[in-house]
Amino acid sequence: MNFKRIELIFFIAFIALDIFLFMSYSQKDDAVISTTKSTNENSLSSVLRSIKGDQITYGELSNKKGEGFYISSSTRNDLQENISSLQNQTVSYQNHKIVSSFENPIKIKKTSKPQNTLDAIVSDKTKIVEGKKYKYNKSLSTKSTVVYTQLVHGTPVYMTNGQIRFNIRNGYVMGYSQGILDDVEILQEHPIISQERAVIWLYQYNKLMSNSSVEWVNLGYTRLLSVNNNIVYIPTWVIAVKSNSTGNIQYRRINAFSGAIMDESDSIN
């Protein structure tokens, strides 16, 4: 085991201790706060009723828990080295990402299902580098931007440095940007809170506005911290909240290990 990996594990162990202390404090605090703010198992339904009372709607939420991993990725990647293999496009390398424009825009055959066209592009080595590592992500995609997220041990990356983002104009694919997590290492395993608990935590942090709807709640990797030339990622519940009055969507992030709210300055798109 090299020194860099040992150093990363020490950082993660320190963070895990913080999570344990946070959870211990939260459980103690649950005993003294009001019923609607309690996260004890017996009062979950009360909290969910309070959420509905604030005119906040949501779909079916799973109460299933699981296990997840801290992972690390090098800040360097080999995308730039593979640019020469790409054909029929104008390519540049900016901020650790490929930025490309197709010489001949590609028509989307069915705009309601762009993946029917784009899957073939992503799997073509002359058009996309390491495309087999990515999968279409309907939740993050819009009419003007179709997103493919990199899968790391089956979990998608909800940060732009692990995504392919296709630019769509008038039904044509004009180009894309691509980032990739390279040299990924598993650092430590930890229990993950449930999808239901993540939404309850978000409500308790007053980050669920009244008269809104929870559009989706997905588990994905987002950035936690940087250590030397590596970035540590953590399983995160990413929650899309839509204002019923304005139609605007905000993305909230909940640490899937501790339930703590995460920095909103890190954009997922």
Side-chain angles (χ1 to χ4, degrees):
M1 183 180 294
N2 59 42
F3 177 77
K4 183 172 67 175
R5 179 172 172 80
I6 293 173
E7 184 180 33
L8 282 169
I9 289 175
F10 270 111
F11 268 97
I12 296 305
F14 177 75
I15 294 167
L17 177 60
D18 282 346
I19 290 173
F20 172 76
L21 294 174
F22 174 85
M23 294 297 287
S24 297
Y25 173 80
S26 298
Q27 291 171 2
K28 179 180 179 181
D29 193 49
D30 285 344
V32 297
I33 58 179
S34 63
T35 301
T36 57
K37 293 297 182 180
S38 171
T39 56
N40 291 328
E41 293 298 330
N42 292 335
S43 63
L44 288 179
S45 59
S46 297
V47 180
L48 294 175
R49 283 196 298 271
S50 295
I51 292 175
K52 290 182 178 179
D54 284 336
Q55 296 182 308
I56 300 168
T57 59
Y58 55 88
E60 184 176 351
L61 300 174
S62 172
N63 60 8
K64 183 179 179 181
K65 301 177 182 179
E67 299 288 328
F69 302 94
Y70 289 100
I71 62 170
S72 73
S73 172
S74 172
T75 55
R76 299 182 295 271
N77 61 57
D78 61 358
L79 285 177
Q80 187 173 20
E81 298 174 4
N82 288 277
I83 285 178
S84 60
S85 67
L86 301 175
Q87 300 175 11
N88 302 317
Q89 52 191 292
T90 302
V91 184
S92 62
Y93 188 73
Q94 306 170 18
N95 298 320
H96 306 291
K97 293 184 179 70
I98 285 177
V99 179
S100 172
S101 295
F102 290 123
E103 294 176 1
N104 297 303
I106 301 168
K107 183 174 178 56
I108 298 290
K109 296 178 181 178
K110 190 174 182 180
T111 55
S112 61
K113 293 186 177 181
Q115 69 273 26
N116 290 353
T117 299
L118 291 173
D119 281 352
I121 296 175
V122 171
S123 62
D124 187 340
K125 294 180 180 179
T126 67
K127 292 185 172 66
I128 301 291
V129 175
E130 299 284 356
K132 63 183 178 180
K133 294 183 178 180
Y134 301 81
K135 185 177 180 180
Y136 171 64
N137 191 303
K138 182 178 180 180
S139 295
L140 294 181
S141 297
T142 65
K143 290 182 180 180
S144 61
T145 305
V146 177
V147 180
Y148 276 65
T149 46
Q150 182 182 353
L151 297 181
V152 178
H153 302 290
T155 301
V157 178
Y158 272 67
M159 305 292 290
T160 57
N161 52 344
Q163 298 175 357
I164 303 171
R165 305 181 66 84
F166 290 99
N167 306 316
I168 312 299
R169 187 188 305 163
N170 298 324
Y172 284 84
V173 186
M174 308 304 294
Y176 65 91
S177 63
Q178 179 187 5
I180 193 169
L181 271 61
D182 215 359
D183 297 327
V184 175
E185 289 189 67
I186 292 177
L187 300 177
Q188 192 177 59
E189 189 174 22
H190 201 81
I192 287 178
I193 64 174
S194 70
Q195 186 185 57
E196 180 183 66
R197 183 59 65 91
V199 172
I200 289 174
W201 276 113
L202 192 66
Y203 176 69
Q204 293 180 319
Y205 290 126
N206 294 318
K207 293 296 184 178
L208 270 180
M209 53 192 156
S210 299
N211 190 28
S212 65
S213 58
V214 176
E215 296 292 288
W216 46 262
V217 184
N218 294 342
L219 187 68
Y221 278 111
T222 67
R223 180 173 52 229
L224 179 64
L225 53 83
S226 297
V227 182
N228 293 332
N229 292 319
N230 288 270
I231 301 175
V232 176
Y233 295 84
I234 189 172
T236 306
W237 285 110
V238 181
I239 304 171
V241 184
K242 180 180 180 179
S243 168
N244 293 333
S245 58
T246 66
N248 293 334
I249 293 180
Q250 294 181 324
Y251 298 105
R252 306 295 193 187
R253 296 193 300 145
I254 293 290
N255 185 316
F257 288 154
S258 69
I261 192 136
M262 298 181 70
D263 188 358
E264 295 176 14
S265 65
D266 282 336
S267 175
I268 68 168
N269 59 14

